[in-house]
């Protein structure tokens, strides 16, 4: 036990304040053959509770290790540890688990693995079972924070986040959850406050700072009232099943969910059909003169989002990385309209840059159309998808989403002013015609005029990619090329019948 003595004499623990710190220190300790029982781990503040990934990391763990080694008589060394990806992932997750001995425990696991005890990651092993338990608890906490964190919108103020949220995570999951929301919320700024730290996303960069408040009560109440009003306005009693709602939300989260305060009241109201009754009270029972007014004028004025990035006209923004607007020549004579961004477009923020885009480029080449001279966009600007394993699978947008997004297509039409529209697939056609009841084949090969523009309808490039047999793929591709040629001719002033 020379090492223990050496460490005790040095009087310095090995310090780690993040997974990376721990990793660097652990690697050195392994190389220098310091067994777990000879190492004392500590966090910077002397406690066991730390925020992995929280900046700034000041403590140099390896310096302390060097001191230890200087006093260790046995100077022989081991090669650096090589570990499996599975172990790496387990260690990384478990490092976020709040336990006073987490760093020491992780080092013991690493040590055992390095010394051939690969059963250390098995559930049948005592350490392995604990490791899995920690990693699982952290994954659950991440999931809970994604699900139960509630952003509330704030009045727009220069330099201030648009959305704020309070959450009390049970483990150190804030950094990865922050990254998740940064990906999901695009350029919209937000702040997440927790009792340990605050993260701010300014639309481009994540900033981590000190805690602003220690409890939800310390946290701004005015915003809360706003959120409650909003929640009431979107609450639909018809969809409510109180048992399921309570069953799905774990007790711990109820206290910080703003809607928790109003839900019991709304549940009672819903059960009694209070919505209907409420309307009778406020509208139906009122006397006075009836003034005929068109329904359009009677509708309350809605504030339109000022930019596409802030669009909340439907819910699709919630799961998309960012809104994807159109791209191309500012005064293009031809506008190609697709369905919605795909996985790659969602990440790149540009339309038709993935596999469907490649096929479209090929068709344009063949049709003699230069992409730089046209404008390419989509009917729906946010990627709608569902998870399938680790992949995000495209989901066809609902007509109400197409209609909500038509606002943006209209804005593009107005600004670019194309003479010819190419509808790539039925979603595009439904958006252009603003109706869900259209059948593509009624319009294929027969350009028609709509709202002062010619519309050419053809297959969506993805169809030409995924239709099962080779012949149909060729035929679909040829039809797209033909439609592009037609669009070009129409844009050049040729009459449709020519
Ligand atoms: N599919 C579309 O409809 N649009 C894109 O931008 C990509 C794939």
């Amino acid at each position: 036990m020379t090492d223990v003595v050496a460490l005790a004499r040095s009087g310095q623990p090995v310090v780690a304040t993040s997974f990376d710190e721990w990793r660097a220190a652990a690697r050195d300790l392994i190389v220098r053959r310091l067994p777990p029982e000879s190492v004392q781990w500590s966090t910077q503040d002397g406690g066991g509770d730390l925020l992995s990934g929280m900046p700034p990391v000041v403590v140099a763990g390896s310096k302390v290790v060097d001191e230890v080694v200087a006093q260790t008589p046995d100077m022989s060394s081991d090669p650096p540890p090589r570990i499996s990806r599975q172990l790496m992932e387990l260690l990384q997750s478990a490092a976020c688990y709040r336990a006073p001995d987490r760093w020491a425990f992780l080092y013991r696991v690493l040590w055992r693995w390095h010394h051939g005890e690969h059963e250390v990651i098995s559930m049948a092993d005592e350490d392995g079972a604990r490791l899995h338990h920690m990693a699982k608890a952290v994954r659950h906490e991440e999931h809970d924070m994604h699900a139960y964190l509630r952003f509330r919108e704030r009045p727009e103020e220069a330099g201030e986040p648009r959305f704020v949220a309070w959450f009390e995570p049970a483990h150190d999951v804030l950094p990865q959850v922050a990254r998740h929301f940064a990906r999901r919320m695009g350029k919209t700024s937000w702040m997440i406050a927790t009792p340990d730290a605050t993260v701010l996303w300014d639309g481009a960069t994540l900033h981590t700072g000190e805690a602003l408040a220690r409890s939800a009560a310390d946290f701004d109440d005015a915003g809360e009232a706003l959120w409650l009003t909003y929640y009431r306005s979107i609450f639909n009693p018809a969809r409510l099943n109180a048992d399921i709602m309570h069953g799905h939300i774990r007790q711990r989260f109820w206290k910080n969910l703003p809607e928790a305060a109003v839900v019991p009241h709304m549940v009672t109201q819903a059960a009694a059909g209070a919505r209907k009754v409420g309307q009778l009270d406020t509208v139906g029972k009122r006397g006075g003169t009836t003034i005929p007014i068109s329904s359009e004028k009677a509708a309350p004025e809605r504030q339109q989002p000022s930019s596409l990035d802030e669009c909340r006209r439907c819910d699709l923004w919630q799961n998309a990385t960012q809104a994807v607007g159109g791209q191309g020549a500012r005064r293009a004579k031809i506008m190609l309209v697709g369905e919605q961004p795909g996985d790659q477009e969602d990440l790149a923020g540009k339309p038709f840059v993935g596999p469907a885009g490649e096929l479209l480029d090929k068709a344009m080449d063949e049709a003699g159309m230069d992409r730089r001279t046209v404008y390419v966009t989509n009917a729906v600007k946010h990627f709608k998808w569902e998870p399938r394993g680790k992949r995000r699978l495209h989901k066809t947008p609902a007509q109400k989403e197409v209609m909500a997004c038509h606002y943006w297509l209209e804005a593009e039409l107005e600004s670019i002013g194309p003479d010819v529209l190419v509808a790539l697939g039925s979603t595009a056609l439904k958006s252009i015609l603003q109706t869900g009841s259209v059948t593509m084949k009624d319009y294929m090969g027969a350009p028609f005029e709509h709202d002062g523009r010619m519309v050419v309808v053809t297959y969506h490039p993805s169809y030409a990619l995924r239709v099962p047999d080779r012949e149909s793929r060729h035929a679909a591709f040829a039809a797209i090329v033909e439609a592009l040629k037609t669009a070009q001719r129409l844009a050049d002033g040729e009459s449709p019948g020519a």
Side-chain angles (χ1 to χ4, degrees):
M1 300 293 280
T2 17
D3 298 335
V4 181
V5 176
L7 188 68
R9 272 201 213 116
S10 89
Q12 296 252 26
V14 180
V15 187
T17 55
S18 69
F19 180 72
D20 288 341
E21 281 256 324
W22 170 84
R23 190 174 162 187
R27 189 174 181 278
D28 278 349
L29 292 167
I30 293 257
V31 167
R32 293 162 203 241
R33 296 187 180 162
L34 285 166
E37 57 282 8
S38 73
V39 183
Q40 185 194 338
W41 292 87
S42 169
T43 58
Q44 194 186 347
D45 59 7
D49 213 9
L50 56 83
L51 288 164
S52 64
M54 289 289 119
V57 174
V58 223
V59 183
S62 50
K63 182 170 160 264
V64 180
V65 174
D66 284 346
E67 270 178 43
V68 173
V69 170
Q71 299 175 47
T72 306
D74 179 5
M75 292 298 285
S76 57
S77 62
D78 260 13
R82 295 186 64 80
I83 64 173
S84 69
R85 180 195 288 248
Q86 189 198 0
L87 176 56
M88 184 59 159
E89 284 173 2
L90 281 167
L91 292 172
Q92 223 159 350
S93 290
C96 303
Y97 187 97
R98 286 186 191 160
D101 66 337
R102 74 178 111 171
W103 304 116
F105 170 71
L106 296 187
Y107 184 57
R108 184 165 76 237
V109 169
L110 184 65
W111 175 268
R112 287 186 55 197
W113 172 280
H114 181 67
H115 289 89
E117 291 183 48
H118 289 191
E119 68 275 17
V120 72
I121 60 166
S122 153
M123 288 292 278
D125 182 277
E126 200 178 324
D127 284 339
R130 183 175 178 209
L131 185 67
H132 281 279
H133 164 78
M134 288 164 80
K136 193 168 163 195
V138 166
R139 277 199 308 277
H140 277 177
E141 192 62 18
E142 284 170 15
H143 167 269
D144 285 344
M145 197 162 166
H146 293 165
Y148 302 128
L149 182 128
R150 292 286 182 275
F151 280 111
R152 56 187 202 235
E153 196 166 2
R154 305 177 64 252
E156 209 152 1
E157 250 347 298
E160 291 195 7
R162 186 74 193 284
F163 293 89
V164 297
W166 170 262
F167 201 85
E168 295 171 30
H171 297 294
D172 296 334
V173 296
L174 181 56
Q176 56 269 45
V177 170
R179 287 194 295 275
H180 165 87
F181 282 112
R183 283 193 299 272
R184 289 283 168 266
M185 305 262 288
K187 296 193 182 111
T188 310
S189 63
W190 50 255
M191 182 185 79
I192 300 174
T194 75
D196 310 288
T198 306
V199 179
L200 179 78
W201 169 249
D202 63 10
T205 313
L206 276 173
H207 308 266
T208 309
E210 283 175 12
L212 293 180
R214 292 284 161 209
S215 71
D218 294 349
F219 210 60
D220 172 19
D221 278 338
E224 200 84 307
L226 257 181
W227 165 254
L228 291 182
T229 314
Y230 170 65
Y231 189 78
R232 273 199 199 98
S233 76
I234 58 164
F235 179 76
N236 177 0
R239 270 194 269 138
L240 181 69
N241 177 328
D243 288 343
I244 290 178
M245 195 164 168
H246 284 273
H248 279 171
I249 301 185
R250 296 218 304 269
Q251 204 62 30
R252 177 159 74 85
F253 299 108
W254 274 102
K255 75 181 162 94
N256 285 332
L257 284 183
E259 59 265 42
V262 291
V263 162
H265 177 64
M266 291 191 302
V267 169
T268 320
Q269 282 206 321
R275 237 189 179 190
K276 215 162 124 201
V277 176
Q279 280 207 343
L280 284 177
D281 278 347
T282 53
V283 184
K285 280 189 186 165
R286 277 192 205 150
T289 325
T290 308
I291 301 169
I293 184 168
S294 77
S295 57
E296 219 165 86
K297 287 208 178 114
E301 240 178 62
R302 284 171 198 276
Q303 224 191 332
Q304 304 296 0
S306 56
S307 85
L308 184 55
D309 286 322
E310 290 168 8
C311 183
R312 303 292 181 262
R313 298 177 68 85
C314 73
D315 287 340
L316 293 187
W317 66 275
Q318 291 180 12
N319 293 325
T321 308
Q322 57 193 314
V324 179
Q327 254 197 348
R330 298 240 41 89
R331 292 274 168 263
K333 285 184 176 177
I334 301 175
M335 183 183 283
L336 310 188
V337 185
E339 183 190 71
Q340 60 167 351
D343 185 73
Q344 297 196 27
E345 288 79 12
D346 168 78
L347 297 171
K350 294 176 187 159
F352 283 104
V353 292
E358 259 175 49
L359 187 130
L360 184 61
D361 285 343
K362 222 168 122 211
M364 281 197 216
D365 266 356
E366 202 140 315
M369 184 182 270
D370 182 345
R371 183 160 172 167
R372 288 167 305 182
T373 65
V374 301
Y375 187 87
V376 180
T377 191
N378 284 299
V380 171
K381 312 299 188 201
H382 282 114
F383 179 33
K384 181 173 182 181
W385 57 275
E386 59 188 354
R388 185 71 53 84
K390 286 188 182 163
R391 292 172 57 220
R392 301 189 296 174
L393 273 204
H394 158 277
K395 230 180 145 189
T396 305
Q399 184 61 14
K400 67 172 192 258
E401 290 151 352
V402 174
M403 291 311 286
C405 218
H406 182 80
Y407 170 83
W408 296 109
L409 182 64
E410 203 58 56
E412 287 174 306
L413 288 171
E414 214 164 278
S415 137
I416 307 293
D419 299 325
V420 184
L421 295 182
V422 180
L424 300 165
S426 79
T427 302
L429 183 59
K430 286 171 184 171
S431 175
I432 292 166
L433 298 181
Q434 295 186 66
T435 167
S437 29
V438 291
T439 311
M440 274 256 299
K441 65 175 178 344
D442 293 345
Y443 296 87
M444 294 264 295
F448 61 97
E449 201 200 307
H450 178 75
D451 276 353
R453 301 190 166 89
M454 292 308 295
V455 182
V456 181
V457 179
T458 188
Y459 294 114
H460 189 282
S462 304
Y463 172 76
L465 282 175
R466 66 159 198 260
V467 66
D469 64 291
R470 205 158 162 263
E471 221 167 279
S472 306
R473 280 199 298 276
H474 277 297
F477 181 76
I480 296 173
V481 172
E482 207 41 56
L484 296 177
K485 285 183 182 168
T486 304
Q488 193 81 68
R489 281 199 301 273
L490 290 170
D492 291 342
E494 209 171 90
S495 73

